[in-house]
Amino acid sequence: MSEREYKVTVWGKPHAVTVYQKSKSVWEAVGHYMEETIRVTDRSAGSAIKRWKSAATYKGNG
């Protein structure tokens, strides 16, 4: 399983997000935001990161 860490900026603050390749076409992004773990999946690493950022942005806006 492939794994890589990225820095994702949400509301001006960087957050560490780890992206795992779960299978040929499934990638999972996992990171902590506001004391909660956010875990999302998508078809590529880039898409999973974007989905994670969107989920964190939505949580921070609520």
Side-chain angles (χ1 to χ4, degrees):
M1 179 164 61
S2 180
E3 173 182 326
R4 187 163 177 196
E5 187 172 293
Y6 294 86
K7 294 290 182 202
V8 179
T9 303
V10 180
W11 300 114
K13 295 183 180 179
H15 299 276
V17 176
T18 304
V19 178
Y20 303 92
Q21 186 171 12
K22 305 281 278 182
S23 68
K24 186 176 180 180
S25 63
V26 177
W27 293 76
E28 181 177 58
V30 181
H32 297 285
Y33 184 74
M34 295 179 67
E35 301 178 13
E36 190 174 303
T37 301
I38 296 177
R39 182 181 305 264
V40 298
T41 58
D42 214 311
R43 292 180 177 214
S44 71
S47 296
I49 291 167
K50 288 179 186 175
R51 188 177 294 261
W52 187 93
K53 183 174 182 173
S54 178
T57 299
Y58 179 78
K59 178 174 177 48
N61 198 26

